[in-house]
Amino acid sequence: MKIRRALATAVALAVTTPAALLAVSPAYADTKPVTQTQEKKSKPTIKELEAAVAEAKEAYEKAAKAKADALVELRKTLDELGSTHPLAVTAAAAKQAAKDADAAKTAADQAVTDAKAKLADLPVDATPEQKTAAETAVTEAEATAASAATAKAAADAKATEAVTAVDDARVAAVRAYSVLDKAADDALAAKIAAEAALAQAVKEAEEEEEEEGDVCEPENDLTAEVTGLPNKLVAGTTTDFALRVTNGSDRNMDEIIAYTGVFATDKTGIKETGKFFRLQWSTKSSPKWQSADEDDYIDGLGPLKPGSHTDVKLRLTLDKATPAGNGVAFIAADFYNKDGSCGGMTDLNMYEFDVKAAGSKPGKTEDAKPSKAPKPGTGNTGTTPLGSSSGTPAQTGTGGSLAATGSSSATGSIALAGGAAVLLGAAAVFVVRRRKAGSAA
């Protein structure tokens, strides 16, 4: 929502860098958007990114189909290489031939052994013809064995070659598939990257549109007022108070949202809020207490008819370790039309209160009073602490800290901590954003 961007920027910058905010000039506000526009011109347009997404999607779909087809082909090839593929048939025949050659060699070797045994078993009185025949048998058996050994070696080599060819075919098939698999992965990564770039560009465009297009304008007939917040609180205690948002106009306000932000200060400066303060809220429609410390917004307050109001219960708890000093509460509200466009926002109000050390007595208290941010054209130059009763610029003492100017005790202490600049900074951002929004429109 637009108010979240406007008010969160106003308060956060006011609390953390008031000096920088007080230095904001119209010239700076006018030139910065030009620089941003120049930077954005070098980026791809959303139309170009949409075209890139479409192209990447088409490429991925083709790559994914090619991968699926390749997987079917791979499974078919691997199955055939185990049975009917020509290389598989050749390998099977070669292995059988090697097996037959091995059997032939074994038989030939046995024939040599048998022939030598017969030669050795010849009787002493064997004839020369018998000896010659036995010796010839040995010689022939050895020749046959040698030939069988050569045939076996050749058959083994062919079988090894055929089996290697099958293995190489399997590897080649897997590699061919892996190429398409990687191509599909790369195409998917490119598609995801293109979609992410488009999503980021759309998000940035929407944020720019929120900042430069439909920024909520002030709505004087919408008010947000706090009641029951004491101007003195004690560390370690809990205080209940209320916020009332009122529609003082003669028209319906479709959706109401409120902003609440509470900050602790002392003479050393702004303190980490979440460390010391805990702010909770509840409404009639949401009676359970909810933390307001997450993003400081109270949503869903519903519509407001002309002249009606809605109330929010608030509960502020101060940690026992909260140092003595001061606190400030920023309050604002906004409403939206049915189409989601901004209706208008209230002024950003600041309620100041003293913080007493744990165990001390608060003394006489009264309700904290709001200090309104200056409106454009009031002539406030950033030298008068808001909430000052005198209206005189704050003077700088010899120690470099702001002197009291007739304001409440809380404002005086906050001035010492730069608290005057806090509210001025918030007002400065609030006003500058309105001016920028008006020029952009």
Side-chain angles (χ1 to χ4, degrees):
M1 292 184 175
K2 283 76 176 176
I3 189 174
R4 297 195 177 204
R5 189 176 297 278
L7 291 181
T9 301
V11 176
L13 291 179
V15 170
T16 56
T17 55
L21 286 170
L22 294 177
V24 172
S25 67
Y28 177 78
D30 291 339
T31 58
K32 188 166 184 178
V34 175
T35 304
Q36 292 175 338
T37 302
Q38 291 173 346
E39 291 175 353
K40 290 169 188 172
K41 284 183 179 179
S42 63
K43 298 179 181 179
T45 64
I46 290 181
K47 186 176 181 180
E48 291 171 338
L49 291 172
E50 288 175 340
V53 168
E55 183 178 351
K57 182 179 179 181
E58 182 181 1
Y60 169 67
E61 289 174 350
K62 289 182 178 178
K65 185 178 185 306
K67 174 184 174 180
D69 293 343
L71 181 58
V72 173
E73 188 64 26
L74 173 63
R75 289 171 176 169
K76 178 183 176 183
T77 299
L78 294 178
D79 183 61
E80 291 177 348
L81 285 172
S83 57
T84 61
H85 194 281
L87 291 176
V89 173
T90 300
K95 287 191 286 185
Q96 184 60 49
K99 183 178 180 181
D100 294 343
D102 182 66
K105 180 180 179 299
T106 300
D109 291 339
Q110 185 62 46
V112 170
T113 301
D114 293 344
K116 287 181 178 181
K118 287 182 180 181
L119 177 61
D121 289 343
L122 286 174
V124 178
D125 57 350
T127 65
E129 290 78 6
Q130 290 176 327
K131 289 180 179 181
T132 299
E135 290 172 351
T136 300
V138 171
T139 300
E140 290 176 352
E142 288 178 341
T144 301
S147 177
T150 301
K152 179 183 181 302
D156 287 343
K158 286 185 178 181
T160 299
E161 182 180 353
V163 170
T164 300
V166 172
D167 291 340
D168 289 346
R170 287 194 178 98
V171 171
V174 172
R175 285 178 176 173
Y177 170 76
S178 67
V179 170
L180 295 176
D181 182 39
K182 184 177 185 303
D185 288 344
D186 291 344
L188 177 59
K191 173 177 170 289
I192 293 173
E195 291 171 341
L198 174 60
Q200 181 63 27
V202 170
K203 179 182 177 183
E204 291 176 356
E206 290 175 348
E207 290 176 349
E208 290 168 6
E209 183 180 354
E210 285 185 354
E211 284 187 351
E212 300 172 5
D214 187 17
V215 178
C216 296
E217 294 297 329
E219 174 53 71
N220 293 330
D221 292 330
L222 179 66
T223 58
E225 298 179 341
V226 164
T227 58
L229 176 63
N231 63 348
K232 297 177 184 179
L233 296 174
V234 177
T237 63
T238 296
T239 300
D240 289 348
F241 56 106
L243 166 63
R244 171 165 290 186
V245 181
T246 303
N247 177 6
S249 72
D250 57 359
R251 64 189 184 282
N252 286 324
M253 295 183 178
D254 297 329
E255 183 61 38
I256 304 296
I257 180 176
Y259 168 83
T260 58
V262 184
F263 303 90
T265 71
D266 64 11
K267 293 183 178 181
T268 63
I270 299 297
K271 297 299 181 182
E272 182 182 354
T273 304
K275 184 177 180 181
F276 301 112
F277 290 172
R278 183 189 180 202
L279 183 63
Q280 297 173 287
W281 64 271
S282 72
T283 63
K284 185 176 181 180
S285 60
S286 300
K288 184 178 179 180
W289 286 105
Q290 301 181 52
S291 175
D293 299 331
E294 296 297 327
D295 59 6
D296 300 327
Y297 292 94
I298 302 173
D299 291 324
L301 297 183
L304 279 182
K305 295 180 180 180
S308 65
H309 65 264
T310 184
D311 293 324
V312 180
K313 294 180 180 179
L314 296 173
R315 174 171 290 175
L316 179 60
T317 301
L318 278 64
D319 189 91
K320 287 184 178 180
T322 305
N326 306 103
V328 290
F330 288 99
I331 302 293
D334 183 24
F335 81 91
Y336 287 84
N337 299 310
K338 289 181 179 179
D339 61 2
S341 61
C342 285
M345 65 175 69
T346 66
D347 287 317
L348 180 65
N349 294 334
M350 184 183 86
Y351 292 79
E352 309 162 37
F353 53 88
D354 290 335
V355 177
K356 304 295 184 181
S360 61
K361 300 293 183 181
K364 185 179 179 181
T365 64
E366 58 185 33
D367 282 358
K369 304 300 181 183
S371 299
K372 292 185 179 294
K375 298 181 183 299
T378 58
N380 193 315
T381 62
T383 57
T384 306
L386 298 181
S388 169
S389 60
S390 67
T392 359
Q395 305 298 319
T396 303
T398 57
S401 46
L402 298 177
T405 59
S407 64
S408 67
S409 61
T411 303
S413 299
I414 292 172
L416 291 173
V422 169
L423 187 55
L424 287 172
V429 174
F430 202 56
V431 172
V432 167
R433 289 187 67 82
R434 289 178 180 175
R435 287 175 178 170
K436 289 175 65 179
S439 63

